[in-house]
Amino acid sequence: MRGSVGALLWRGVLAALLVCFVGVLPWLAHTDPALTVLKARDMERAATPEVLDAVRRQLGLGDGPLALLGEWLGGLPRGDAGRSWLSGEPVLPVVGQALGVSLLLTGVALGVAVVTAGLVCARTLRHGARRRLSGRRAGGTGTAVLAALPEFLTASVLATVVGVHLGWLPALGWYGPQWTVLPALALGLPAGAVLGRLLDDLLPGAFAEPWATAAAARGLGGWRIARMALRRCVPALLPNAGLFVVGLTGGAVAVERVFDIPGLGRTTLQAALAQDLPVLQAGTLALLLLGAAATALAHLAARLLTGPAPRDGAVPPLHRRPRTARGSLPVAYGVLLLAVVALGLPRDPLALDTAERLRAPSVSHPFGTDALGRDVLARVAHGALDTLLPAVGVSAVALACGVLLGLLPRVSGPLVDTVNAVPPVLGALLVTAVAGRGASTPALAVAVVAWAPLAAHTSALLRQERAALHITATRAFGAGPLYLLRRELLPAVLPPVLRHALLRLPGVALALASLTFLGLGAQPPSPEWGLLLAENQPYAERAPWAVLAPAAVLALLGALAVSAAGGRRTARRASRAVRPALTPPPAPAPAPVAARPPS
């Protein structure tokens, strides 16, 4: 009870700090809020000192940020979040309407993600139901390609092809349920691919547990055993599923921009760019409350699915022995990626030739040319360093921070919920306000939020592993916390979390690309892959190769990351699950005789 109250207080403190930080954002960025608001209201109006003074008096900026923040917080208990600095309308109806739009879109996207995750792990479920998992190779190439597709690129392709050319579904606006299909597909397909891959990674361990063997020996049907294996694995994924809910709601800024959807992410971004503090603060608070609700529901669902087993120390571990790495696919993908970079590096990525603009792929230009006649292959190759090195560095930092903070769930749990409630775009704006605009700002902004899913995954696996029977037996032999952490817990938790980090490597590259796509990252004429997608996206209909080239390389990066972490499935025998309990660790004092297992 005391721990729950402490965690609740910790969540409240973090949420209050974030809202207060947002409230003083313009002053931290050393910008004039009056000038920003004036330009957002009327770009043509001259910013004379008299006009700026009038705006300051109207908004009450002369009282300082703390007075404005206190006034805004004081109105919340009365249901008053202030009025928009731009439109003068009450904030709560605007944010409430945007939240309703985002929740509807998130619900449909989650449905798409669940179906996609089911398709990803269907092969493993089928083989597991037939008891044929041993020696089967793990899938992942198609999943990696699907997860590596940029959401904004998928949205652009769906809007152009399905919405405009084929006319099957509406592409722009938000006027009814049929307008949710295309954006939900753009959001749900990559999320479902990631969740499906994580679930596919856990299922072989569930099928190899003694209960599955006993159920098959009793004559239970294979698909019934498969449903039980799903129930066994889902609790370990629910924390990440809760993170996806908030990420789909607040992080769908690029998709909402492509489809012209008035969602919460887009509303919050517009408020941040225009420094409309009342709307920005209310939107951030809504995201925080949504994150807290999603996390609470995820923990409640996990507790209902697992029952009293974790409390009684009767949960067998889901991890299995490391899989034998596949040597052919990672090498093939790596050689192909290196070949693209090697062929393009000798070419000039900045050479302009307007006579060759938007040329189709040919011998002289294997990837075609862009709108300025520049060689796309050269720009893709030279942009590899600008894209891959920050992505690898951010992924390594996120993995280290995620594992370390995941080992402290009481501290990291509320912190994960708070960090995940911040869309990457808003995080980039906050980081820019503190660190200033620079080449490293996007990487720093993504690193601030990239560790959260890994920490949640680490905590979930650690919670289940600590409840395993062999941990209880090993502790009874006199093993201390450090021994358990070093010899039992970390070897069980690190392999799946490392595979998760590799699976998210393309996602980190996409997050950097998304910031560039929204104008918050690299600037022209940099050949960074996200900037290539942003520059060539308006010409996707006339010159699809200019967009498909960087998208294909991103998909190749995802296939390389997943295949490098994959391998041949090895079913873990039941005897291995109890072997640690039969091998006492070295202890300074002998364990009591009564605690020793019979020989």
Side-chain angles (χ1 to χ4, degrees):
M1 181 66 181
R2 184 176 301 175
S4 301
V5 174
L8 186 62
L9 291 176
W10 179 224
R11 292 176 192 272
V13 169
L14 290 175
L17 289 176
L18 179 59
V19 172
C20 293
F21 186 77
V22 169
V24 296
L25 179 61
W27 289 270
L28 289 175
H30 304 291
T31 60
D32 187 357
L35 178 61
T36 306
V37 171
L38 177 64
K39 292 301 181 182
R41 289 177 176 177
D42 187 359
M43 288 289 297
E44 303 298 331
R45 191 172 184 182
T48 61
E50 295 77 11
V51 173
L52 292 178
D53 288 339
V55 173
R56 292 189 185 97
R57 289 192 300 270
Q58 180 186 3
L59 302 181
L61 296 176
D63 298 333
L66 296 181
L68 289 175
L69 182 61
E71 181 181 355
W72 184 82
L73 292 175
L76 289 180
R78 305 189 304 270
D80 180 15
R83 290 182 175 271
S84 170
W85 286 0
L86 300 183
S87 64
E89 298 178 356
V91 168
L92 283 184
V94 174
V95 174
Q97 183 178 1
L99 178 61
V101 170
S102 293
L103 288 179
L104 177 58
L105 178 59
T106 299
V108 181
L110 280 178
V112 174
V114 170
V115 173
T116 305
L119 294 176
V120 169
C121 62
R123 176 175 174 269
T124 301
L125 287 172
R126 182 174 67 253
H127 290 308
R130 298 174 180 176
R131 311 297 293 171
R132 296 177 183 175
L133 269 181
S134 180
R136 296 283 178 179
R137 289 190 181 275
T141 302
T143 306
V145 172
L146 189 59
L149 288 176
E151 293 174 350
F152 55 85
L153 177 62
T154 307
S156 300
V157 172
L158 289 175
T160 303
V161 177
V162 180
V164 177
H165 284 293
L166 299 178
W168 291 348
L169 291 167
L172 296 176
W174 188 263
Y175 305 103
Q178 63 269 32
W179 273 263
T180 65
V181 177
L182 293 182
L185 287 174
L187 290 171
L189 288 176
V194 175
L195 287 176
R197 178 64 187 181
L198 295 178
L199 182 60
D200 189 70
D201 195 50
L202 294 175
L203 281 172
F207 279 115
E209 289 178 347
W211 66 264
T213 305
R218 291 182 57 190
L220 268 68
W223 288 110
R224 184 176 178 184
I225 297 176
R227 289 195 300 270
M228 297 167 66
L230 273 176
R231 179 173 179 176
R232 171 73 177 89
C233 298
V234 165
L237 295 182
L238 283 175
N240 272 284
L243 297 183
F244 272 110
V245 172
V246 184
L248 290 176
T249 304
V253 181
V255 174
E256 291 176 354
R257 176 178 171 182
V258 170
F259 289 101
D260 194 22
I261 298 174
L264 185 59
R266 185 183 178 190
T267 300
T268 305
L269 173 62
Q270 291 175 343
L273 294 176
Q275 295 188 357
D276 191 353
L277 289 188
V279 177
L280 178 59
Q281 290 169 319
T284 304
L285 184 60
L287 289 173
L288 290 173
L289 295 177
L290 178 63
T295 302
L297 290 176
H299 286 305
L300 178 61
R303 185 168 299 180
L304 292 176
L305 287 174
T306 55
R311 180 195 61 199
D312 298 338
V315 177
L318 270 178
H319 72 281
R320 58 191 186 279
R321 295 181 63 182
R323 297 175 288 180
T324 305
R326 285 189 287 182
S328 57
L329 279 182
V331 172
Y333 294 142
V335 168
L336 185 57
L337 185 60
L338 289 177
V340 171
V341 175
L343 290 175
L345 283 180
R347 300 168 178 260
D348 187 359
L350 302 179
L352 301 178
D353 188 357
T354 55
E356 295 290 326
R357 60 188 305 269
L358 300 179
R359 292 288 185 180
S362 61
V363 176
S364 57
H365 301 288
F367 284 3
T369 61
D370 63 7
L372 297 178
R374 297 173 294 190
D375 187 77
V376 176
L377 174 59
R379 294 184 63 76
V380 168
H382 284 267
L385 295 180
D386 296 337
T387 305
L388 295 180
L389 290 182
V392 172
V394 170
S395 298
V397 172
L399 175 62
C401 295
V403 171
L404 290 177
L405 291 174
L407 297 177
L408 305 170
R410 292 187 177 180
V411 175
S412 65
L415 189 58
V416 166
D417 300 337
T418 305
V419 168
N420 189 71
V422 180
V425 176
L426 180 57
L429 293 175
L430 297 177
V431 171
T432 302
V434 176
R437 186 178 295 272
S440 60
T441 299
L444 183 60
V446 175
V448 168
V449 299
W451 61 269
L454 301 177
H457 196 190
T458 301
S459 298
L461 292 177
L462 195 66
R463 190 180 306 113
Q464 288 203 0
E465 191 66 25
R466 281 173 172 166
L469 184 60
H470 74 272
I471 296 294
T472 304
T474 306
R475 190 182 292 112
F477 280 113
L482 291 180
Y483 178 89
L484 289 174
L485 181 65
R486 181 170 54 90
R487 298 294 297 273
E488 301 290 346
L489 298 177
L490 283 181
V493 170
L494 283 180
V497 176
L498 178 60
R499 290 192 291 270
H500 187 182
L502 284 174
L503 184 63
R504 286 189 173 272
L505 174 61
V508 171
L510 292 181
L512 297 172
S514 298
L515 293 179
T516 303
F517 178 79
L518 295 170
L520 300 174
Q523 300 299 320
S526 170
E528 197 267 340
W529 290 350
L531 187 58
L532 295 185
L533 291 169
E535 289 177 341
N536 297 315
Q537 190 266 337
Y539 307 96
E541 183 179 352
R542 295 175 54 193
W545 51 85
V547 177
L548 292 178
V553 178
L554 279 171
L556 182 62
L557 173 63
L560 173 62
V562 174
S563 61
R568 183 179 297 275
R569 297 197 187 281
T570 55
R572 187 169 50 88
R573 296 179 181 176
S575 59
R576 291 176 182 153
V578 298
R579 186 173 60 184
L582 303 179
T583 307
V593 177
R596 297 185 181 183
S599 58

